[in-house]
Amino acid sequence: MLDLHQKVNAPLQQIKEYLFEEKGVEVFIKREDLIHPNISGNKWRKLKYNLIEAKAKGYTTLLTFGGAYSNHIHALATAGKLLGFKMIGCIRGEEHFPLNSTLLSAQENGMQLHYLSRTEYREKFSKEVIEQLHQKFGDFYILPEGGTNELAVKGCSEIIDEINFTPDYLLSAIGTGGTLAGLITGMNHSGQIIGISSLKGGSFLNNDITQLLPKRHTNWEVLTDYHFGGYAKTTEELFSFIKKFKQQHHILLDPIYTSKMTYAFYQLLKKDTFKRGSKIVLLHTGGLQGWQGMIEQNKVSKEFIQAFFN
Ligand SMILES: *Cc1c(COP(=O)(O)O)cnc(C)c1O
């Protein structure tokens, strides 16, 4: 059984290397990836208050949206099963067989998959689409795409409570911006929060994140130059970076979010962006199930994975 109120295991781990000494900074990784093998990192944080709310209001069914490889779908299917919810996953695009590992595991956890055309998906918050979904599935609690809403922001702000000093810089990957909004809220006007967009052309995120913040904050920024060609796009350079980081620090990054964020961190460090004497925290938001999708799409060979996963 899953206890939504239990304290999670997400230690803060210092990593060391010569470059950090040379630049006079201390670097820590907040290991949100260790929270749960299948409800990874920030997805747990984003689900927590939503699931508490859904239970409190007596909902028995959860409905959500996501792409075919969505970490959110994966996490929700696991959490929803453990808490005894019925679940409906509205998946963008057409049904493909065999199901990929993300969708297969969601289905095995009891999530009913429902496919929306790309047009319907774009209009998913319109009255018409929601009405159709209610006609088909009855009453349900809606979790938006990526799980991002006000309650998700609240959950993510709790990450900061678990860091026992005030970071001078806090770096996190961005998809929808819910996590970053939570971090900004939790930091409460101290330090500098830097979000690395995993999407190409992510400057709209500035606006989305501002909308998610209950109050005005100025100590944050979004960097949009580290997407490696776009969302879920990868390059050989990114893979060798992941491999090198794993060999050096024994921490596996995911191919879609945390690797791009950590890569950006090194670039910023080399450019002397961080003041000497700073304490820097990198948020490992999890997402390791994303590797399975990379393997299935032949973006990376099994041999490559085996060579550095263990
Ligand atoms: C979903 C996800 C993100 C993006 O979080 P947002 O709150 O949507 O910005 C970052 N990292 C990982 C590993 C994720 O799965």
Side-chain angles (χ1 to χ4, degrees), residues 40 42-43 46 71 146 148 173-180 254 257-258 285-287:
S40 93
N42 65 339
K43 297 304 184 282
K46 295 168 90 172
N71 290 339
T148 290
I174 309 181
T176 61
T179 303
L180 206 78
D254 84 290
Y257 298 100
T258 55
T285 39

Side-chain angles (χ1 to χ4, degrees), residues 240-259:
S240 16
F241 170 75
I242 293 168
K243 192 167 168 180
K244 181 158 169 250
F245 188 80
K246 171 75 164 77
Q247 280 163 349
Q248 199 162 10
H249 297 296
H250 310 291
I251 298 174
L252 180 62
L253 302 166
D254 84 290
I256 297 171
Y257 298 100
T258 55
S259 52

